[in-house]
Amino acid sequence: MSRLLVVVDMQKDFINGSLGTREAEAVVTNVKKKIEEYQESGDDVIFTLDTHENDYMDTQEGKNLPVIHCVKGTPGWELADAIKEIPGRRFEKNTFASKAVGEYAASGSYKSIELVGLCTDICVISNALLIKAFLPEIPILVDSSCCAGVTPESHENALNAMKMCQVTVL
Ligand SMILES: [Zn+2]
């Protein structure tokens, strides 16, 4: 049985674009190392891409977060340069969690599922809890050294919330 690594939204807009943070920039190298470790041991790696259209400001997310980001086809929508050539299935999503990723995870027979990426407090936690709903008996892990939040405080809050929900925080 292999492991699954879900790389969440490692896109330029969340790193050094419209919603970028120093903390996000600081984890790119760790995320790349984690991906390589999984691929070297023959485990599965998939990527999510936050994906919006030109109507972003009319969506509920846009009304609550009026910062245009990850519009499909723009440079900010692309994965970080250090990561974008790495093979692995891509899942575009216009919601925080990807139902398709949950279904994909549930359709495999993985011995564990680990999440890394951005942002800890929005899309990492959403996908971790979604996958946990699909797979209550499979260990779900989040590596905090490969995640960053909107703020350092909300990153810590999200890690604590995930721990309470029985996600293993590394
Ligand atoms: Zn978004």
mmCIF file of all heavy atoms in Angstrom, residues 14 50 52 56 61 69, ligand 1:
data_model
loop_
_atom_site.group_PDB
_atom_site.id
_atom_site.type_symbol
_atom_site.label_atom_id
_atom_site.label_comp_id
_atom_site.label_asym_id
_atom_site.label_seq_id
_atom_site.Cartn_x
_atom_site.Cartn_y
_atom_site.Cartn_z
ATOM 1 N N PHE A 14 -0.367 32.829 -4.105
ATOM 2 C CA PHE A 14 -0.346 32.595 -2.657
ATOM 3 C C PHE A 14 1.071 32.659 -2.086
ATOM 4 O O PHE A 14 1.251 32.589 -0.861
ATOM 5 C CB PHE A 14 -0.926 31.215 -2.323
ATOM 6 C CG PHE A 14 -2.401 31.097 -2.583
ATOM 7 C CD1 PHE A 14 -2.901 30.081 -3.381
ATOM 8 C CD2 PHE A 14 -3.296 31.997 -2.025
ATOM 9 C CE1 PHE A 14 -4.258 29.958 -3.622
ATOM 10 C CE2 PHE A 14 -4.658 31.890 -2.256
ATOM 11 C CZ PHE A 14 -5.140 30.873 -3.050
ATOM 12 N N ASP A 50 -6.119 26.260 -6.913
ATOM 13 C CA ASP A 50 -7.226 27.189 -6.720
ATOM 14 C C ASP A 50 -7.457 27.858 -8.081
ATOM 15 O O ASP A 50 -6.509 28.327 -8.709
ATOM 16 C CB ASP A 50 -6.832 28.220 -5.655
ATOM 17 C CG ASP A 50 -8.021 28.908 -5.040
ATOM 18 O OD1 ASP A 50 -9.001 28.213 -4.674
ATOM 19 O OD2 ASP A 50 -7.979 30.149 -4.897
ATOM 20 N N HIS A 52 -10.020 30.384 -10.318
ATOM 21 C CA HIS A 52 -11.171 31.284 -10.447
ATOM 22 C C HIS A 52 -11.272 31.817 -11.869
ATOM 23 O O HIS A 52 -10.325 31.737 -12.648
ATOM 24 C CB HIS A 52 -11.050 32.438 -9.445
ATOM 25 C CG HIS A 52 -11.056 31.971 -8.021
ATOM 26 N ND1 HIS A 52 -12.151 31.373 -7.445
ATOM 27 C CD2 HIS A 52 -10.084 31.989 -7.066
ATOM 28 C CE1 HIS A 52 -11.866 31.058 -6.182
ATOM 29 N NE2 HIS A 52 -10.616 31.399 -5.936
ATOM 30 N N TYR A 56 -14.807 36.418 -10.411
ATOM 31 C CA TYR A 56 -14.451 36.141 -9.008
ATOM 32 C C TYR A 56 -15.128 37.088 -8.021
ATOM 33 O O TYR A 56 -15.645 36.665 -6.989
ATOM 34 C CB TYR A 56 -12.929 36.204 -8.825
ATOM 35 C CG TYR A 56 -12.509 36.053 -7.372
ATOM 36 C CD1 TYR A 56 -12.620 34.823 -6.724
ATOM 37 C CD2 TYR A 56 -12.051 37.152 -6.626
ATOM 38 C CE1 TYR A 56 -12.275 34.686 -5.381
ATOM 39 C CE2 TYR A 56 -11.705 37.022 -5.284
ATOM 40 C CZ TYR A 56 -11.822 35.786 -4.666
ATOM 41 O OH TYR A 56 -11.490 35.656 -3.340
ATOM 42 N N GLU A 61 -16.897 33.917 -2.239
ATOM 43 C CA GLU A 61 -15.501 34.041 -1.801
ATOM 44 C C GLU A 61 -14.964 35.433 -2.121
ATOM 45 O O GLU A 61 -14.281 36.057 -1.303
ATOM 46 C CB GLU A 61 -14.624 32.958 -2.466
ATOM 47 C CG GLU A 61 -13.180 33.002 -1.954
ATOM 48 C CD GLU A 61 -12.232 32.031 -2.672
ATOM 49 O OE1 GLU A 61 -12.655 30.914 -3.036
ATOM 50 O OE2 GLU A 61 -11.061 32.403 -2.855
ATOM 51 N N HIS A 69 -7.290 36.590 -7.291
ATOM 52 C CA HIS A 69 -6.158 35.664 -7.244
ATOM 53 C C HIS A 69 -6.503 34.418 -8.056
ATOM 54 O O HIS A 69 -7.675 34.077 -8.221
ATOM 55 C CB HIS A 69 -5.829 35.270 -5.792
ATOM 56 C CG HIS A 69 -6.952 34.540 -5.119
ATOM 57 N ND1 HIS A 69 -8.011 35.170 -4.528
ATOM 58 C CD2 HIS A 69 -7.191 33.206 -4.981
ATOM 59 C CE1 HIS A 69 -8.858 34.277 -4.044
ATOM 60 N NE2 HIS A 69 -8.382 33.067 -4.313
HETATM 61 ZN ZN ZN B 1 -9.563 31.284 -4.087
#
